[in-house]
Amino acid sequence: EVAESGESRQRNSLNLAQDESEPLVEYRGVTKSFGDLEVIKGIDLRLHAGEKLAFIGPSGSGKTTLGRMLMTLEQPTTGTLTIDNEPIWQMKDKRGNWKAANEAHLRSIREKVGMVFQHFNLFPHLTVERNVTLALTSVLNLSKEEAIGRAESMLEKVGLLDKLRNYPSQLSGGQKQRVAIARALVMRPKVVVFDEVTSALDPELVGEVLAVIKEIAKEGETAMMLITHEMDFAREVADRVIFGAEGLIVEEGTPEDIFERPQSERLRTFLSRL
Ligand code: ADP
């Protein structure tokens, strides 16, 4: 018990130190509406370098939309979203005035943000190796040799080195998702958004994908935004868990705070229905 309270003290002071340092990603007063429907109602959120953040909450609460704004796929209606202090959705023109981000600006942001989706989104006509090397050669301009070297070591990490020459259609769902994870990480992004990456998988394939993410999380340097229905996984991997409902953050804290000491009725209800 003494050791435990020491550990939690240490964790608290660590959180405090982190909160004062520069965030890697920051949402400030972010809202998002689709037509008349406001799905994000004002979010303030900071993610630090290397931090693993899990998002949980009822379906329809805006988790995916929050991730898609960071992935440059949805533009906030109001508020700002920055990475490395640089606004994602705004840029300065020649005179130094702010204007809406153009495609070149968004492309440069995308080099820092890895994306893994529910439905893999692999290129069906390319081999596993080509899927993983494509952006290395075409976006980062690496030589073919360098790209293949990086791709192979990443595919080894996700346990798929023997599938280099296969096409996505020849892989199981779990293997496809591991290729998609390798493809995102090989770019060495500062943050990776994992958007419900196990939701489309047969139950028996979920474990291998979560195990790969856990392994990568342990290495530490890449920040992760994990949008997930897998509570045990969130609990094991996340440094911090955010519970959202109806476009707002309802509660946030350590996995212990959220799963063992839920404060709000909404979170207690959500957890009791799982
Ligand atoms: P979650 O990930 O928590 O399930 P989402 O972010 O997917 O929530 O969705 C939040 C709400 O926004 C839902 O009501 C959804 O129907 C709506 N929504 C999401 N994307 C769009 C869109 N492109 N157009 C209209 N409504 C959308």
PDB file of all heavy atoms in Angstrom, residues 32-35 37-40 56-68 74 195-196 227 229 244-247, ligand 1:
ATOM      1  N   LYS A  32     -17.600  21.508 -33.926  1.00  0.00           N
ATOM      2  CA  LYS A  32     -17.816  21.021 -35.286  1.00  0.00           C
ATOM      3  C   LYS A  32     -19.293  20.761 -35.493  1.00  0.00           C
ATOM      4  O   LYS A  32     -19.929  20.062 -34.694  1.00  0.00           O
ATOM      5  CB  LYS A  32     -17.037  19.712 -35.508  1.00  0.00           C
ATOM      6  CG  LYS A  32     -17.306  19.054 -36.854  1.00  0.00           C
ATOM      7  CD  LYS A  32     -16.726  19.871 -37.994  1.00  0.00           C
ATOM      8  CE  LYS A  32     -17.088  19.288 -39.357  1.00  0.00           C
ATOM      9  NZ  LYS A  32     -16.630  20.140 -40.464  1.00  0.00           N
ATOM     10  N   SER A  33     -19.823  21.342 -36.536  1.00  0.00           N
ATOM     11  CA  SER A  33     -21.224  21.091 -36.894  1.00  0.00           C
ATOM     12  C   SER A  33     -21.288  20.479 -38.279  1.00  0.00           C
ATOM     13  O   SER A  33     -20.497  20.822 -39.159  1.00  0.00           O
ATOM     14  CB  SER A  33     -22.020  22.405 -36.904  1.00  0.00           C
ATOM     15  OG  SER A  33     -22.000  22.984 -35.624  1.00  0.00           O
ATOM     16  N   PHE A  34     -22.219  19.577 -38.456  1.00  0.00           N
ATOM     17  CA  PHE A  34     -22.585  19.098 -39.787  1.00  0.00           C
ATOM     18  C   PHE A  34     -23.975  19.665 -40.052  1.00  0.00           C
ATOM     19  O   PHE A  34     -24.942  19.219 -39.419  1.00  0.00           O
ATOM     20  CB  PHE A  34     -22.606  17.572 -39.856  1.00  0.00           C
ATOM     21  CG  PHE A  34     -21.254  16.940 -39.676  1.00  0.00           C
ATOM     22  CD1 PHE A  34     -20.916  16.288 -38.502  1.00  0.00           C
ATOM     23  CD2 PHE A  34     -20.291  16.997 -40.695  1.00  0.00           C
ATOM     24  CE1 PHE A  34     -19.668  15.691 -38.334  1.00  0.00           C
ATOM     25  CE2 PHE A  34     -19.047  16.410 -40.535  1.00  0.00           C
ATOM     26  CZ  PHE A  34     -18.734  15.758 -39.356  1.00  0.00           C
ATOM     27  N   GLY A  35     -24.054  20.660 -40.906  1.00  0.00           N
ATOM     28  CA  GLY A  35     -25.337  21.342 -41.086  1.00  0.00           C
ATOM     29  C   GLY A  35     -25.781  21.935 -39.756  1.00  0.00           C
ATOM     30  O   GLY A  35     -25.012  22.644 -39.100  1.00  0.00           O
ATOM     31  N   LEU A  37     -26.450  20.240 -37.114  1.00  0.00           N
ATOM     32  CA  LEU A  37     -26.129  19.331 -36.013  1.00  0.00           C
ATOM     33  C   LEU A  37     -24.735  19.626 -35.471  1.00  0.00           C
ATOM     34  O   LEU A  37     -23.725  19.430 -36.156  1.00  0.00           O
ATOM     35  CB  LEU A  37     -26.193  17.879 -36.534  1.00  0.00           C
ATOM     36  CG  LEU A  37     -25.957  16.774 -35.513  1.00  0.00           C
ATOM     37  CD1 LEU A  37     -27.083  16.736 -34.480  1.00  0.00           C
ATOM     38  CD2 LEU A  37     -25.829  15.419 -36.220  1.00  0.00           C
ATOM     39  N   GLU A  38     -24.685  20.125 -34.237  1.00  0.00           N
ATOM     40  CA  GLU A  38     -23.379  20.386 -33.610  1.00  0.00           C
ATOM     41  C   GLU A  38     -22.926  19.115 -32.904  1.00  0.00           C
ATOM     42  O   GLU A  38     -23.511  18.715 -31.895  1.00  0.00           O
ATOM     43  CB  GLU A  38     -23.488  21.549 -32.625  1.00  0.00           C
ATOM     44  CG  GLU A  38     -22.125  21.996 -32.135  1.00  0.00           C
ATOM     45  CD  GLU A  38     -22.174  23.205 -31.222  1.00  0.00           C
ATOM     46  OE1 GLU A  38     -23.001  23.225 -30.295  1.00  0.00           O
ATOM     47  OE2 GLU A  38     -21.364  24.135 -31.437  1.00  0.00           O
ATOM     48  N   VAL A  39     -21.878  18.481 -33.438  1.00  0.00           N
ATOM     49  CA  VAL A  39     -21.468  17.191 -32.872  1.00  0.00           C
ATOM     50  C   VAL A  39     -20.278  17.333 -31.915  1.00  0.00           C
ATOM     51  O   VAL A  39     -20.078  16.484 -31.062  1.00  0.00           O
ATOM     52  CB  VAL A  39     -21.168  16.128 -33.957  1.00  0.00           C
ATOM     53  CG1 VAL A  39     -22.391  15.925 -34.834  1.00  0.00           C
ATOM     54  CG2 VAL A  39     -19.971  16.463 -34.788  1.00  0.00           C
ATOM     55  N   ILE A  40     -19.501  18.414 -32.063  1.00  0.00           N
ATOM     56  CA  ILE A  40     -18.450  18.737 -31.092  1.00  0.00           C
ATOM     57  C   ILE A  40     -18.794  20.124 -30.548  1.00  0.00           C
ATOM     58  O   ILE A  40     -18.934  21.076 -31.299  1.00  0.00           O
ATOM     59  CB  ILE A  40     -17.051  18.752 -31.760  1.00  0.00           C
ATOM     60  CG1 ILE A  40     -16.728  17.399 -32.412  1.00  0.00           C
ATOM     61  CG2 ILE A  40     -15.969  19.148 -30.758  1.00  0.00           C
ATOM     62  CD1 ILE A  40     -16.489  16.264 -31.446  1.00  0.00           C
ATOM     63  N   ILE A  56     -12.982   7.192 -24.944  1.00  0.00           N
ATOM     64  CA  ILE A  56     -14.099   6.258 -24.824  1.00  0.00           C
ATOM     65  C   ILE A  56     -15.395   7.061 -24.730  1.00  0.00           C
ATOM     66  O   ILE A  56     -15.363   8.267 -24.462  1.00  0.00           O
ATOM     67  CB  ILE A  56     -13.948   5.331 -23.592  1.00  0.00           C
ATOM     68  CG1 ILE A  56     -13.923   6.148 -22.297  1.00  0.00           C
ATOM     69  CG2 ILE A  56     -12.666   4.481 -23.708  1.00  0.00           C
ATOM     70  CD1 ILE A  56     -14.061   5.298 -21.034  1.00  0.00           C
ATOM     71  N   GLY A  57     -16.499   6.383 -24.949  1.00  0.00           N
ATOM     72  CA  GLY A  57     -17.785   7.062 -24.844  1.00  0.00           C
ATOM     73  C   GLY A  57     -18.791   6.406 -25.750  1.00  0.00           C
ATOM     74  O   GLY A  57     -18.424   5.627 -26.622  1.00  0.00           O
ATOM     75  N   PRO A  58     -20.071   6.742 -25.546  1.00  0.00           N
ATOM     76  CA  PRO A  58     -21.119   6.128 -26.349  1.00  0.00           C
ATOM     77  C   PRO A  58     -20.928   6.423 -27.823  1.00  0.00           C
ATOM     78  O   PRO A  58     -20.310   7.434 -28.182  1.00  0.00           O
ATOM     79  CB  PRO A  58     -22.412   6.776 -25.846  1.00  0.00           C
ATOM     80  CG  PRO A  58     -22.051   7.643 -24.709  1.00  0.00           C
ATOM     81  CD  PRO A  58     -20.578   7.722 -24.591  1.00  0.00           C
ATOM     82  N   SER A  59     -21.466   5.582 -28.665  1.00  0.00           N
ATOM     83  CA  SER A  59     -21.318   5.816 -30.087  1.00  0.00           C
ATOM     84  C   SER A  59     -22.161   7.032 -30.472  1.00  0.00           C
ATOM     85  O   SER A  59     -23.199   7.309 -29.878  1.00  0.00           O
ATOM     86  CB  SER A  59     -21.618   4.518 -30.811  1.00  0.00           C
ATOM     87  OG  SER A  59     -22.691   4.609 -31.599  1.00  0.00           O
ATOM     88  N   GLY A  60     -21.610   7.836 -31.381  1.00  0.00           N
ATOM     89  CA  GLY A  60     -22.262   9.092 -31.751  1.00  0.00           C
ATOM     90  C   GLY A  60     -21.847  10.280 -30.905  1.00  0.00           C
ATOM     91  O   GLY A  60     -22.352  11.380 -31.078  1.00  0.00           O
ATOM     92  N   SER A  61     -20.895  10.079 -29.979  1.00  0.00           N
ATOM     93  CA  SER A  61     -20.532  11.183 -29.081  1.00  0.00           C
ATOM     94  C   SER A  61     -19.476  12.111 -29.681  1.00  0.00           C
ATOM     95  O   SER A  61     -19.120  13.111 -29.077  1.00  0.00           O
ATOM     96  CB  SER A  61     -20.075  10.640 -27.726  1.00  0.00           C
ATOM     97  OG  SER A  61     -18.985   9.778 -27.864  1.00  0.00           O
ATOM     98  N   GLY A  62     -18.961  11.774 -30.869  1.00  0.00           N
ATOM     99  CA  GLY A  62     -18.042  12.696 -31.536  1.00  0.00           C
ATOM    100  C   GLY A  62     -16.577  12.283 -31.504  1.00  0.00           C
ATOM    101  O   GLY A  62     -15.707  13.048 -31.935  1.00  0.00           O
ATOM    102  N   LYS A  63     -16.274  11.087 -31.054  1.00  0.00           N
ATOM    103  CA  LYS A  63     -14.879  10.650 -30.924  1.00  0.00           C
ATOM    104  C   LYS A  63     -14.174  10.615 -32.281  1.00  0.00           C
ATOM    105  O   LYS A  63     -13.062  11.115 -32.433  1.00  0.00           O
ATOM    106  CB  LYS A  63     -14.803   9.255 -30.276  1.00  0.00           C
ATOM    107  CG  LYS A  63     -15.507   9.172 -28.936  1.00  0.00           C
ATOM    108  CD  LYS A  63     -15.403   7.774 -28.316  1.00  0.00           C
ATOM    109  CE  LYS A  63     -16.070   6.658 -29.086  1.00  0.00           C
ATOM    110  NZ  LYS A  63     -17.554   6.769 -29.169  1.00  0.00           N
ATOM    111  N   THR A  64     -14.819   9.990 -33.249  1.00  0.00           N
ATOM    112  CA  THR A  64     -14.223   9.889 -34.579  1.00  0.00           C
ATOM    113  C   THR A  64     -14.046  11.272 -35.204  1.00  0.00           C
ATOM    114  O   THR A  64     -13.000  11.563 -35.794  1.00  0.00           O
ATOM    115  CB  THR A  64     -15.092   8.988 -35.482  1.00  0.00           C
ATOM    116  OG1 THR A  64     -14.961   7.646 -35.006  1.00  0.00           O
ATOM    117  CG2 THR A  64     -14.662   9.031 -36.928  1.00  0.00           C
ATOM    118  N   THR A  65     -15.027  12.110 -35.046  1.00  0.00           N
ATOM    119  CA  THR A  65     -14.934  13.465 -35.600  1.00  0.00           C
ATOM    120  C   THR A  65     -13.745  14.213 -34.998  1.00  0.00           C
ATOM    121  O   THR A  65     -13.002  14.900 -35.704  1.00  0.00           O
ATOM    122  CB  THR A  65     -16.253  14.229 -35.338  1.00  0.00           C
ATOM    123  OG1 THR A  65     -17.320  13.472 -35.908  1.00  0.00           O
ATOM    124  CG2 THR A  65     -16.226  15.617 -35.951  1.00  0.00           C
ATOM    125  N   LEU A  66     -13.544  14.047 -33.710  1.00  0.00           N
ATOM    126  CA  LEU A  66     -12.410  14.678 -33.036  1.00  0.00           C
ATOM    127  C   LEU A  66     -11.091  14.191 -33.652  1.00  0.00           C
ATOM    128  O   LEU A  66     -10.191  14.983 -33.927  1.00  0.00           O
ATOM    129  CB  LEU A  66     -12.465  14.309 -31.551  1.00  0.00           C
ATOM    130  CG  LEU A  66     -12.001  15.317 -30.529  1.00  0.00           C
ATOM    131  CD1 LEU A  66     -12.663  16.657 -30.710  1.00  0.00           C
ATOM    132  CD2 LEU A  66     -12.274  14.773 -29.128  1.00  0.00           C
ATOM    133  N   GLY A  67     -11.004  12.897 -33.883  1.00  0.00           N
ATOM    134  CA  GLY A  67      -9.802  12.337 -34.502  1.00  0.00           C
ATOM    135  C   GLY A  67      -9.641  12.793 -35.940  1.00  0.00           C
ATOM    136  O   GLY A  67      -8.536  13.117 -36.372  1.00  0.00           O
ATOM    137  N   ARG A  68     -10.742  12.856 -36.672  1.00  0.00           N
ATOM    138  CA  ARG A  68     -10.667  13.243 -38.088  1.00  0.00           C
ATOM    139  C   ARG A  68     -10.210  14.688 -38.272  1.00  0.00           C
ATOM    140  O   ARG A  68      -9.591  15.021 -39.282  1.00  0.00           O
ATOM    141  CB  ARG A  68     -12.015  12.996 -38.776  1.00  0.00           C
ATOM    142  CG  ARG A  68     -12.278  11.500 -39.006  1.00  0.00           C
ATOM    143  CD  ARG A  68     -13.652  11.245 -39.586  1.00  0.00           C
ATOM    144  NE  ARG A  68     -13.847  11.845 -40.898  1.00  0.00           N
ATOM    145  CZ  ARG A  68     -13.445  11.305 -42.056  1.00  0.00           C
ATOM    146  NH1 ARG A  68     -12.855  10.140 -42.052  1.00  0.00           N
ATOM    147  NH2 ARG A  68     -13.666  11.927 -43.189  1.00  0.00           N
ATOM    148  N   GLU A  74     -11.474  16.513 -41.438  1.00  0.00           N
ATOM    149  CA  GLU A  74     -12.639  17.372 -41.170  1.00  0.00           C
ATOM    150  C   GLU A  74     -12.115  18.686 -40.614  1.00  0.00           C
ATOM    151  O   GLU A  74     -11.227  18.687 -39.759  1.00  0.00           O
ATOM    152  CB  GLU A  74     -13.573  16.761 -40.106  1.00  0.00           C
ATOM    153  CG  GLU A  74     -14.230  15.454 -40.461  1.00  0.00           C
ATOM    154  CD  GLU A  74     -15.339  15.568 -41.495  1.00  0.00           C
ATOM    155  OE1 GLU A  74     -15.659  16.697 -41.944  1.00  0.00           O
ATOM    156  OE2 GLU A  74     -15.863  14.500 -41.861  1.00  0.00           O
ATOM    157  N   ASP A 195      -8.402   4.925 -35.140  1.00  0.00           N
ATOM    158  CA  ASP A 195      -9.846   5.156 -35.061  1.00  0.00           C
ATOM    159  C   ASP A 195     -10.609   3.839 -35.124  1.00  0.00           C
ATOM    160  O   ASP A 195     -10.855   3.323 -36.207  1.00  0.00           O
ATOM    161  CB  ASP A 195     -10.278   6.097 -36.194  1.00  0.00           C
ATOM    162  CG  ASP A 195     -11.745   6.475 -36.081  1.00  0.00           C
ATOM    163  OD1 ASP A 195     -12.376   6.159 -35.038  1.00  0.00           O
ATOM    164  OD2 ASP A 195     -12.270   7.080 -37.017  1.00  0.00           O
ATOM    165  N   GLU A 196     -10.973   3.313 -33.994  1.00  0.00           N
ATOM    166  CA  GLU A 196     -11.766   2.062 -33.922  1.00  0.00           C
ATOM    167  C   GLU A 196     -11.151   0.968 -34.781  1.00  0.00           C
ATOM    168  O   GLU A 196     -11.859   0.344 -35.577  1.00  0.00           O
ATOM    169  CB  GLU A 196     -13.201   2.324 -34.402  1.00  0.00           C
ATOM    170  CG  GLU A 196     -13.958   3.339 -33.600  1.00  0.00           C
ATOM    171  CD  GLU A 196     -14.468   2.780 -32.278  1.00  0.00           C
ATOM    172  OE1 GLU A 196     -14.110   1.634 -31.921  1.00  0.00           O
ATOM    173  OE2 GLU A 196     -15.195   3.495 -31.590  1.00  0.00           O
ATOM    174  N   ILE A 227      -9.009   5.813 -30.258  1.00  0.00           N
ATOM    175  CA  ILE A 227     -10.465   5.866 -30.164  1.00  0.00           C
ATOM    176  C   ILE A 227     -10.920   4.418 -30.139  1.00  0.00           C
ATOM    177  O   ILE A 227     -10.661   3.677 -31.078  1.00  0.00           O
ATOM    178  CB  ILE A 227     -11.039   6.614 -31.378  1.00  0.00           C
ATOM    179  CG1 ILE A 227     -10.508   8.055 -31.369  1.00  0.00           C
ATOM    180  CG2 ILE A 227     -12.565   6.562 -31.379  1.00  0.00           C
ATOM    181  CD1 ILE A 227     -10.642   8.768 -32.680  1.00  0.00           C
ATOM    182  N   HIS A 229     -13.460   1.005 -28.369  1.00  0.00           N
ATOM    183  CA  HIS A 229     -14.494   0.392 -27.540  1.00  0.00           C
ATOM    184  C   HIS A 229     -13.898  -0.675 -26.621  1.00  0.00           C
ATOM    185  O   HIS A 229     -14.617  -1.321 -25.875  1.00  0.00           O
ATOM    186  CB  HIS A 229     -15.542  -0.310 -28.421  1.00  0.00           C
ATOM    187  CG  HIS A 229     -16.409   0.636 -29.170  1.00  0.00           C
ATOM    188  ND1 HIS A 229     -17.101   1.653 -28.548  1.00  0.00           N
ATOM    189  CD2 HIS A 229     -16.699   0.751 -30.483  1.00  0.00           C
ATOM    190  CE1 HIS A 229     -17.785   2.341 -29.449  1.00  0.00           C
ATOM    191  NE2 HIS A 229     -17.547   1.811 -30.641  1.00  0.00           N
ATOM    192  N   GLY A 244     -16.064  10.920 -23.296  1.00  0.00           N
ATOM    193  CA  GLY A 244     -16.845  11.986 -23.917  1.00  0.00           C
ATOM    194  C   GLY A 244     -18.265  11.534 -24.147  1.00  0.00           C
ATOM    195  O   GLY A 244     -18.545  10.340 -24.297  1.00  0.00           O
ATOM    196  N   ALA A 245     -19.160  12.493 -24.140  1.00  0.00           N
ATOM    197  CA  ALA A 245     -20.558  12.200 -24.473  1.00  0.00           C
ATOM    198  C   ALA A 245     -21.169  13.440 -25.093  1.00  0.00           C
ATOM    199  O   ALA A 245     -20.923  14.566 -24.633  1.00  0.00           O
ATOM    200  CB  ALA A 245     -21.335  11.793 -23.226  1.00  0.00           C
ATOM    201  N   GLU A 246     -21.901  13.255 -26.159  1.00  0.00           N
ATOM    202  CA  GLU A 246     -22.614  14.334 -26.842  1.00  0.00           C
ATOM    203  C   GLU A 246     -21.726  15.542 -27.132  1.00  0.00           C
ATOM    204  O   GLU A 246     -22.117  16.681 -26.897  1.00  0.00           O
ATOM    205  CB  GLU A 246     -23.842  14.737 -26.032  1.00  0.00           C
ATOM    206  CG  GLU A 246     -24.886  13.630 -26.057  1.00  0.00           C
ATOM    207  CD  GLU A 246     -26.090  13.946 -25.174  1.00  0.00           C
ATOM    208  OE1 GLU A 246     -26.389  15.135 -25.010  1.00  0.00           O
ATOM    209  OE2 GLU A 246     -26.688  12.991 -24.666  1.00  0.00           O
ATOM    210  N   GLY A 247     -20.524  15.278 -27.637  1.00  0.00           N
ATOM    211  CA  GLY A 247     -19.684  16.374 -28.104  1.00  0.00           C
ATOM    212  C   GLY A 247     -18.921  17.127 -27.041  1.00  0.00           C
ATOM    213  O   GLY A 247     -18.319  18.163 -27.323  1.00  0.00           O
TER     214      GLY A 247
HETATM  215  P1  ADP B   1     -18.386   8.471 -32.424  1.00  0.00           P
HETATM  216  O1  ADP B   1     -17.049   8.280 -33.044  1.00  0.00           O
HETATM  217  O2  ADP B   1     -18.284   8.870 -30.976  1.00  0.00           O
HETATM  218  O3  ADP B   1     -19.306   7.311 -32.620  1.00  0.00           O
HETATM  219  P2  ADP B   1     -18.826  10.343 -34.572  1.00  0.00           P
HETATM  220  O4  ADP B   1     -17.782  11.390 -34.480  1.00  0.00           O
HETATM  221  O5  ADP B   1     -18.643   9.259 -35.575  1.00  0.00           O
HETATM  222  O6  ADP B   1     -19.080   9.733 -33.120  1.00  0.00           O
HETATM  223  O7  ADP B   1     -20.224  11.010 -34.881  1.00  0.00           O
HETATM  224  C1  ADP B   1     -20.777  12.058 -34.097  1.00  0.00           C
HETATM  225  C2  ADP B   1     -22.068  12.543 -34.735  1.00  0.00           C
HETATM  226  O8  ADP B   1     -21.762  13.216 -35.946  1.00  0.00           O
HETATM  227  C3  ADP B   1     -23.023  11.434 -35.111  1.00  0.00           C
HETATM  228  O9  ADP B   1     -24.331  11.890 -34.818  1.00  0.00           O
HETATM  229  C4  ADP B   1     -22.817  11.282 -36.593  1.00  0.00           C
HETATM  230  O10 ADP B   1     -23.971  10.795 -37.218  1.00  0.00           O
HETATM  231  C5  ADP B   1     -22.496  12.699 -37.018  1.00  0.00           C
HETATM  232  N1  ADP B   1     -21.641  12.772 -38.218  1.00  0.00           N
HETATM  233  C6  ADP B   1     -20.370  12.309 -38.334  1.00  0.00           C
HETATM  234  N2  ADP B   1     -19.870  12.572 -39.556  1.00  0.00           N
HETATM  235  C7  ADP B   1     -20.849  13.212 -40.236  1.00  0.00           C
HETATM  236  C8  ADP B   1     -20.960  13.751 -41.572  1.00  0.00           C
HETATM  237  N3  ADP B   1     -19.933  13.693 -42.433  1.00  0.00           N
HETATM  238  N4  ADP B   1     -22.114  14.326 -41.909  1.00  0.00           N
HETATM  239  C9  ADP B   1     -23.147  14.405 -41.046  1.00  0.00           C
HETATM  240  N5  ADP B   1     -23.124  13.928 -39.790  1.00  0.00           N
HETATM  241  C10 ADP B   1     -21.994  13.341 -39.387  1.00  0.00           C
END
